[in-house]
Amino acid sequence: MEKKGKFDYILLETSGLADPGPIASMFWLDDGLGSEIYLDGIISLVDAKHIRDHLNEKKGDVMINEALKQIAIADRIVINKKDLLTEKEMDQLKEDIFSVNSVADMIVTERSRIPIDYVLNIKAYDVNNVDTIIEQTSKIKEHSKHHAHQIGHEVQTVCIQFDQQLNSMKDVENWIQELLWEKKFIGETLSDPVTILRLKGILYPPKDRKMKNHRQRMIIQGVQDLYDIQEGYAGENITENDRSNKIVLIGKNLRKDLISKYFKGVLGIEPVIV
């Protein structure tokens, strides 16, 4: 493939059974590639008629099947073939998908007719687009007020919120590394490992980090066992008194009681977990 100059966009389509995690990791592990191309977002196309057959599918020793991984990692979800479901069936399907990934934007289509701006300029990994994380966490909170539905796959979205300022990033990073790499909570022995598929967060800068201005934030992005923390900036409308922190986890065996225990015992923080 030859082209003079830079490409405007590259749309990379994987097979229906592909795990998107390793592909996303290329943009973090390959410094040469990352300097020329950035990851804009991950889109999952859902077959409305047949997806329910795959959500609870068991595959040998695989803890989480590919269909669940693709939905969990997605930044935007396209539910196609809406004409093959009744309104009630579609509402139930959307609820099932939302129970897996409560932060992704979702659109319902027929014959894959999608507005072009839905799949371009997503900026899901842009550290200067941190207000999106704030909007997404509000969706989780609102959803939890009205829905207690959970299907049997046990993959879920958990949002940790607190207003106290951290002393440093070290203890939070230790906690993240234990979850992603050791697949457990620090100081706990579990029969079933913790599996993190997607991680994102926006943190008020800790006390040991010099603030440049009141909009400065620490942005966390993670896919499976890889994560990154960079400085970013919230929108102009954020106030100087806003010190809110939000961390979103999508995965399996996310014990809210153990999350709360660590934040209270080690960080000295009383989190709200939804």
Side-chain angles (χ1 to χ4, degrees):
M1 182 171 61
E2 295 182 2
K3 180 182 184 299
K4 293 182 178 180
K6 293 184 177 181
F7 288 95
D8 294 323
Y9 298 97
I10 298 176
L11 302 179
L12 180 59
E13 181 181 6
T14 66
S15 71
L17 296 177
D19 178 355
I23 298 172
S25 70
M26 291 192 305
F27 297 92
W28 288 339
L29 294 179
D30 190 326
D31 292 336
L33 179 62
S35 65
E36 296 293 332
I37 304 172
Y38 68 89
L39 180 61
D40 187 41
I42 299 174
I43 304 163
S44 288
L45 179 65
V46 173
D47 183 328
K49 183 65 176 177
H50 300 103
I51 185 61
R52 294 181 68 89
D53 297 334
H54 298 290
L55 288 178
N56 294 315
E57 185 180 7
K58 304 295 182 182
K59 287 189 154 186
D61 296 331
V62 178
M63 289 188 60
I64 302 175
N65 65 53
E66 289 83 358
L68 282 170
K69 285 182 180 179
Q70 291 183 6
I71 291 173
I73 292 176
D75 300 298
R76 293 191 175 173
I77 297 171
V78 177
I79 305 177
N80 192 37
K81 301 182 182 178
K82 69 176 183 179
D83 53 310
L84 301 182
L85 268 62
T86 65
E87 183 176 349
K88 183 178 180 180
E89 289 173 333
M90 179 58 71
D91 288 342
Q92 183 63 68
L93 175 58
K94 288 177 6 183
E95 177 63 21
D96 289 345
I97 292 174
F98 200 91
S99 75
V100 177
N101 186 339
S102 303
V103 296
D105 292 327
M106 194 183 305
I107 190 173
V108 178
T109 68
E110 183 178 343
R111 299 184 184 276
S112 298
R113 297 189 182 98
I114 309 167
I116 192 65
D117 59 0
Y118 189 76
V119 296
L120 299 179
N121 287 323
I122 299 173
K123 299 181 179 179
Y125 294 81
D126 186 351
V127 296
N128 296 311
N129 192 36
V130 300
D131 290 349
T132 301
I133 299 177
I134 299 174
E135 295 171 5
Q136 290 172 336
T137 53
S138 65
K139 286 198 303 182
I140 301 172
K141 190 174 182 179
E142 184 62 28
H143 182 267
S144 64
K145 291 180 182 178
H146 305 290
H147 303 274
H149 175 71
Q150 178 71 33
I151 52 181
H153 50 69
E154 298 176 355
V155 175
Q156 63 181 133
T157 302
V158 171
C159 181
I160 307 160
Q161 305 177 64
F162 55 95
D163 291 327
Q164 297 98 317
Q165 185 179 16
L166 295 166
N167 290 320
S168 73
M169 289 297 296
K170 181 179 178 181
D171 288 331
V172 173
E173 280 214 67
N174 288 342
W175 178 72
I176 290 173
Q177 291 169 5
E178 195 81 358
L179 286 178
L180 270 56
W181 300 343
E182 303 300 328
K183 302 188 181 303
K184 66 177 185 176
F185 296 97
I186 291 179
E188 305 291 340
T189 301
L190 303 176
S191 56
D192 296 319
V194 176
T195 302
I196 302 297
L197 297 172
R198 189 74 167 89
L199 161 69
K200 58 176 67 179
I202 173 172
L203 301 179
Y204 188 83
K207 295 176 182 178
D208 64 352
R209 186 176 291 267
K210 186 177 180 180
M211 286 280 289
K212 298 175 182 176
N213 66 60
H214 73 277
R215 293 173 50 224
Q216 183 181 340
R217 294 295 184 270
M218 305 304 298
I219 311 305
I220 306 171
Q221 293 280 6
V223 176
Q224 296 183 7
D225 60 351
L226 294 173
Y227 79 97
D228 187 31
I229 300 178
Q230 296 186 50
E231 287 188 1
Y233 291 89
E236 297 284 352
N237 59 341
I238 199 162
T239 66
E240 292 188 18
N241 296 325
D242 188 339
R243 299 193 175 189
S244 58
N245 304 267
K246 303 173 189 291
I247 299 174
V248 176
L249 302 172
I250 301 177
K252 191 171 184 178
N253 299 322
L254 302 179
R255 292 268 302 273
K256 293 182 180 180
D257 58 329
L258 297 183
I259 295 173
S260 181
K261 179 181 177 181
Y262 181 81
F263 273 73
K264 290 178 181 178
V266 177
L267 302 178
I269 285 172
E270 292 278 349
V272 174
I273 304 175
V274 294

